Amino acid sequence: MLSPELLGKVLQSAPDAIVIVDTAGVILFASRQITTLAGYQPEEVLERSIETLMPQRFRELHLAHRQTYNRDAHARPMGMNLDLRVLHKDGRELPVEISLSPIHDGERLLIAAAIRDVTERKRIQTELKHAREAAERTNLAKSRFLATASHDLRQPLQMLSLLNGTLRRTVRSPVAIEAVAQQGQAIEAMSRLTNALLDISKLESGAIRPDPSDFAVAALFEEMRTEFASVAASKGLELRIEAVAPAAHSDPSLVGQILRNLVSNAIKYTHRGWIQLRSAPSDRGVRLEVADTGIGIPAEQLPHIYEEFYQVGVATNTARQGYGLGLSIVQRLVRLLGVKLEVQSEVGRGSTFSLELPPALAKAVSTVLTCDCASNAARGLPATARILLVDDDAGVRNATAMLLEVEGFVVARTASLSEAVQETRRGPPVDLVVADYHLQKGETGMDVIAQVRALVGRSLGAVLVSGDTSSTLRDIELDEHLRVASKPIRADELLELIATLLPPKSEANTGDGEPSMSAKKLHPVVFVVDDDESVRSSLRFLLKSMGLDNQAFASAGEFLSAYDPAQPGCLVLDVRMPGMSGLELQQQLNLRGAIIPVIFITGHGDIPMAVEAMQHGAHDFLEKPFRDQDLIDRIQQALAKDTKARAALEERDGIRVRLGSLSPREREVLALMVRGKPNKIMAHELGVSQRTLEIHRARVMEKSGAGSLAQLVRMVMDTQPEPER
């Protein structure tokens, strides 16, 4: 047995402050560490309440907690996940951790509390938190920089490429033709180097993240055939495809990028024979191979092939066909996906690169969109096809327009969503849209395409051009009338895409079988509905003299049969007419959701009638006889009101389009954001890391165009349907 004296020494030597209290909270013992912790000598706190050592704001609540603990006393930490504080004698508050243990002294219950000062630990945790937040801000800044650099570096290359394409179609001098050809080769080399360097930078920064799913290997191989068959054939090589394994589980986009780099390398270093893509089941899942009959790689050079700017058989400071970045990118992608890549090579006989992928989790559904575009390319194109061009960069916009106009197209140049919609409504019918993905004010080319298709028809062809090679574009829902191209796109490639999308001459401008909204006259029209012929004639003469387009109808039914809600304007309406009255017509328009402002005129007006009309949304109520100028003033006000209301609807539709472009996961994040949930809670509910959640949240803000969470909530509320009355 240990002596009481020794037990006392044990308590006094403990590194934590030990305090023993009874069930009333009275301090019966305090070790000398209480002086270091709280500034009190042990005897100063004896017979005092334990709440003496607590900040004032915690004392009342602690009384209730202490009574609860007395009823079920057991050893446990105190206040799990709470910010516990000790009040120092000098008034300072110190963060602490407290462990409670019951002591039974006969029938008396005592509680021992071990109190540890965690000030230093909290300081370190705070510093780590700030460092982590700074690192995350740096990563986000780096991602934003790379996105901006990707766009800004590709913009001038895009402009140079398009201008070069225009020159090739216009110059006639042999010297000029040769110079333009050399210029084109230089631009192509610059484009390859820029793309490779940006890809490496994005991989190094973590801006590219895998999005694994089941996908059909055969569909991915068909993409490779479409992209490289003609390139191989131009060198007299055969491209063989053999897809035995049906499906794999990985990121199909990143796997496709690995295969593209490997096939491109194989074609570069193979002078005769073939390049083969084959797949087969393996012990680990699926094995993809890219084999060739090329020059092969010496054994001593194999360890170096993944180094930047290293090329097999090319000495330093000699002429180069490429930049030696393709395999460096491949290695980084392989690490990112967590898969295995092997290479076997024999000098003079060729090389084989083997990529091991996990097997599909279920029966694969292809995530790679393929289409047979060759049949459309051979069809005759409309001689004066009208292309709506949307790009906020004036240089690229003008260069693209010059190229298209040289090819005989009619080009409508616009820089934003609103300009594109306005041009579609007022101009001749649109046959095709060519749009940059990133526009100003958070707008995207997909927003433009969706809104123009809503006006013209769902089958309208569109080319979406982007300098963004990140995963952002993966969420775009492709269809048979949409092509996505990466900047810088060569002039010939752009024209080939356009050729695959434009309808033949006999089908041009037909949309989905409905007349194009852009072909309708959408200038504001003043509609006059009055059963009195003389009133109609005099009103039409007045409106014409003021330069206002107008149409007159003798009855409400005649007007309803002809009225198009998309037509802007206002309605001058008689109240009392045979058949359907003016008030009944107003109610019919309200039921149809029409927003056209209504100006009532009547020779039999009374106050109840005017009140009813205004309650149902009438713009104004005039009693005959009225002065001409009074009516003109009301009409001008009504037209301004209509313009404002339609602009608001257009803005709301734009918001719906932008929110509609969110991926399913981003919509889930949006729903939680508008409910005000913190990132940590959202990440837990969605089963993702907080970092992944923050990336999704940033994409939601970017795609929606919202400048703040409050604005995003207002946008979502504005797009909700109004409750039925």
Side-chain angles (χ1 to χ4, degrees):
M1 291 289 293
L2 298 179
S3 66
E5 181 182 359
L6 181 58
L7 289 175
K9 289 181 179 179
V10 170
L11 289 175
Q12 294 291 359
S13 64
D16 300 331
I18 305 297
V19 176
I20 299 176
V21 301
D22 61 16
T23 54
V26 176
I27 299 175
L28 304 179
F29 171 84
S31 70
R32 59 172 171 259
Q33 293 295 339
I34 196 69
T35 305
T36 305
L37 175 70
Y40 292 97
Q41 295 298 322
E43 57 272 15
E44 288 185 87
V45 297
L46 295 181
E47 302 301 326
R48 297 176 68 176
S49 170
I50 187 65
E51 281 79 25
T52 302
L53 300 177
M54 296 180 184
Q56 184 66 41
R57 63 184 181 280
F58 295 148
R59 293 178 181 178
E60 184 176 350
L61 184 61
H62 183 259
L63 288 172
H65 287 320
R66 179 157 51 78
Q67 293 168 3
T68 301
Y69 182 82
N70 290 341
R71 289 193 293 269
D72 182 24
H74 60 279
R76 66 170 175 82
M78 175 179 168
M80 287 289 292
N81 299 320
L82 295 179
D83 182 22
L84 301 182
R85 299 276 171 161
V86 157
L87 181 65
H88 195 276
K89 186 176 182 179
D90 63 11
R92 290 180 293 128
E93 293 185 11
L94 304 175
V96 293
E97 286 181 353
I98 302 175
S99 297
L100 302 176
S101 299
I103 302 174
H104 294 280
D105 181 21
E107 295 184 358
R108 185 171 64 156
L109 174 65
L110 304 177
I111 297 96
I115 309 172
R116 174 171 297 179
D117 185 352
V118 293
T119 301
E120 184 63 16
R121 187 200 305 169
K122 290 285 187 180
R123 183 188 65 79
I124 295 173
Q125 289 176 345
T126 300
E127 290 180 356
L128 288 174
K129 179 183 177 183
H130 290 163
R132 183 170 59 251
E133 291 174 348
E136 290 173 353
R137 287 195 299 271
T138 301
N139 282 335
L140 287 174
K142 189 182 296 183
S143 298
R144 288 193 294 267
F145 167 77
L146 287 171
T148 302
S150 175
H151 181 269
D152 291 353
L153 287 174
R154 286 186 169 96
Q155 286 292 81
L157 284 174
Q158 179 67 81
M159 183 168 61
L160 288 172
S161 180
L162 294 171
L163 290 174
N164 178 263
T166 303
L167 287 173
R168 283 191 287 111
R169 287 161 173 77
T170 54
V171 299
R172 296 292 180 265
S173 165
V175 175
I177 291 173
E178 175 64 21
V180 170
Q182 293 290 335
Q183 181 194 56
Q185 293 176 11
I187 294 171
E188 186 70 21
M190 290 169 61
S191 299
R192 289 197 304 270
L193 178 59
T194 299
N195 289 336
L197 291 174
L198 286 172
D199 286 343
I200 287 179
S201 297
K202 289 186 175 183
L203 287 167
E204 289 291 342
S205 72
I208 297 177
R209 294 179 177 272
D211 184 15
S213 62
D214 289 356
F215 67 94
V217 174
L220 186 57
F221 276 16
E222 279 305 309
E223 271 200 357
M224 300 302 110
R225 185 200 302 275
T226 301
E227 189 169 338
F228 290 104
S230 60
V231 180
S234 68
K235 291 189 64 175
L237 304 174
E238 178 187 0
L239 180 61
R240 301 175 179 176
I241 304 289
E242 182 182 340
V244 177
H249 184 82
S250 188
D251 187 315
S253 176
L254 299 183
V255 172
Q257 191 171 350
I258 291 173
L259 293 180
R260 284 182 178 88
N261 285 1
L262 293 177
V263 173
S264 178
N265 250 28
I267 293 175
K268 182 191 300 182
Y269 291 107
T270 303
H271 304 304
R272 60 180 178 273
W274 44 261
I275 288 91
Q276 183 178 48
L277 274 81
R278 56 178 177 251
S279 68
S282 70
D283 295 338
R284 299 175 182 174
V286 177
R287 187 179 184 87
L288 307 185
E289 293 183 350
V290 178
D292 63 61
T293 56
I295 63 174
I297 306 171
E300 67 273 11
Q301 294 191 33
L302 281 174
H304 305 290
I305 61 175
Y306 298 111
E307 297 175 4
E308 292 93 340
F309 304 107
Y310 186 86
Q311 290 182 297
V312 174
V314 179
T316 307
N317 298 326
T318 59
R320 308 164 72 94
Q321 291 183 342
Y323 297 95
L325 294 172
L327 290 181
S328 180
I329 293 172
V330 165
Q331 185 188 48
R332 286 168 167 81
L333 289 172
V334 166
R335 290 174 179 169
L336 184 64
L337 293 173
V339 296
K340 185 178 180 181
L341 178 68
E342 297 177 339
V343 58
Q344 295 178 337
S345 187
E346 186 176 347
V347 175
R349 303 197 64 176
S351 305
T352 299
F353 286 83
S354 304
L355 184 67
E356 292 278 353
L357 299 178
L361 301 180
K363 291 185 177 180
V365 177
S366 174
T367 59
V368 181
L369 183 70
T370 60
C371 64
D372 181 9
C373 303
S375 60
N376 283 348
R379 298 190 296 172
L381 299 178
T384 57
R386 185 168 186 262
I387 295 179
L388 178 65
L389 176 62
V390 190
D391 198 309
D392 60 337
D393 187 300
V396 175
R397 185 170 65 247
N398 293 333
T400 308
M402 288 173 60
L403 171 68
L404 298 177
E405 287 166 353
V406 165
E407 287 294 304
F409 296 110
V410 177
V411 182
R413 309 182 191 195
T414 62
S416 65
L417 174 62
S418 60
E419 288 183 17
V421 170
Q422 187 177 16
E423 184 66 36
T424 303
R425 282 176 167 166
R426 73 183 181 190
V430 171
D431 298 299
L432 186 96
V433 176
V434 176
D436 187 23
Y437 179 73
H438 285 291
L439 302 174
Q440 293 183 1
K441 299 179 181 179
E443 298 173 351
T444 69
M446 284 305 298
D447 299 338
V448 172
I449 292 167
Q451 288 226 24
V452 173
R453 281 179 169 177
L455 296 173
V456 176
R458 291 184 302 276
S459 63
L460 178 70
V463 177
L464 185 67
V465 186
S466 175
D468 188 348
T469 58
S470 70
S471 58
T472 303
L473 298 180
R474 292 188 216 163
D475 295 330
I476 294 176
E477 296 182 6
L478 300 178
D479 59 60
E480 60 180 324
H481 303 295
L482 174 65
R483 303 287 183 269
V484 178
S486 296
K487 292 180 181 178
I489 181 173
R490 293 188 296 108
D492 292 338
E493 292 176 354
L494 178 60
L495 293 173
E496 287 172 7
L497 286 177
I498 291 173
T500 66
L501 291 167
L502 278 174
K505 297 176 183 178
S506 60
E507 298 177 11
N509 303 331
T510 59
D512 292 329
E514 296 294 330
S516 169
M517 286 293 293
S518 62
K520 297 180 181 180
K521 187 174 184 180
L522 292 175
H523 296 293
V525 173
V526 180
F527 298 100
V528 176
V529 181
D530 198 303
D531 62 317
D532 189 317
E533 170 64 28
S534 62
V535 173
R536 291 199 306 274
S537 298
S538 60
L539 286 177
R540 294 202 65 185
F541 180 80
L542 172 64
L543 296 171
K544 185 176 181 181
S545 69
M546 298 300 297
L548 296 170
D549 290 346
N550 62 87
Q551 296 178 23
F553 301 89
S555 69
E558 183 182 340
F559 169 77
L560 278 178
S561 299
Y563 177 59
D564 180 359
Q567 173 63 59
C570 70
L571 174 60
V572 178
L573 179 61
D574 190 17
V575 174
R576 297 181 182 270
M577 293 182 293
M580 185 185 298
S581 70
L583 291 174
E584 291 169 337
L585 172 57
Q586 181 192 26
Q587 293 171 4
Q588 284 295 317
L589 290 172
N590 289 341
L591 289 174
R592 298 184 183 189
I595 63 171
I596 185 169
V598 179
I599 301 171
F600 279 103
I601 57 173
T602 182
H604 309 280
D606 55 30
I607 292 178
M609 186 184 297
V611 170
E612 182 180 358
M614 301 304 287
Q615 285 178 339
H616 286 89
H619 176 71
D620 217 324
F621 196 99
L622 290 177
E623 188 173 358
K624 301 175 185 176
F626 48 77
R627 293 189 307 114
D628 292 351
Q629 189 58 48
D630 288 342
L631 178 61
I632 294 298
D633 290 343
R634 302 304 197 282
I635 288 174
Q636 296 288 7
Q637 294 167 5
L639 292 178
K641 177 182 179 181
D642 183 66
T643 299
K644 184 176 180 180
R646 291 179 186 277
L649 284 177
E650 186 175 311
E651 172 64 20
R652 187 178 304 169
D653 291 342
I655 292 172
R656 287 196 179 101
V657 169
R658 295 199 295 274
L659 296 182
S661 70
L662 299 179
S663 67
R665 174 63 84 187
E666 289 163 354
R667 292 191 187 103
E668 291 177 337
V669 173
L670 173 63
L672 295 174
M673 287 173 67
V674 299
R675 287 162 59 187
K677 296 206 172 184
N679 286 359
K680 186 175 181 180
I681 301 299
M682 290 193 284
H684 175 73
E685 291 190 9
L686 296 177
V688 300
S689 70
Q690 192 165 338
R691 170 65 177 152
T692 299
L693 186 281
E694 289 169 353
I695 292 173
H696 285 307
R697 180 174 179 141
R699 289 178 180 168
V700 169
M701 297 299 290
E702 178 187 356
K703 288 184 178 182
S704 67
S708 65
L709 179 59
Q711 183 183 1
L712 179 65
V713 172
R714 286 196 299 271
M715 291 167 66
V716 172
M717 293 177 63
D718 288 345
T719 57
Q720 299 301 311
E722 295 183 2
E724 296 183 3
R725 297 179 179 179

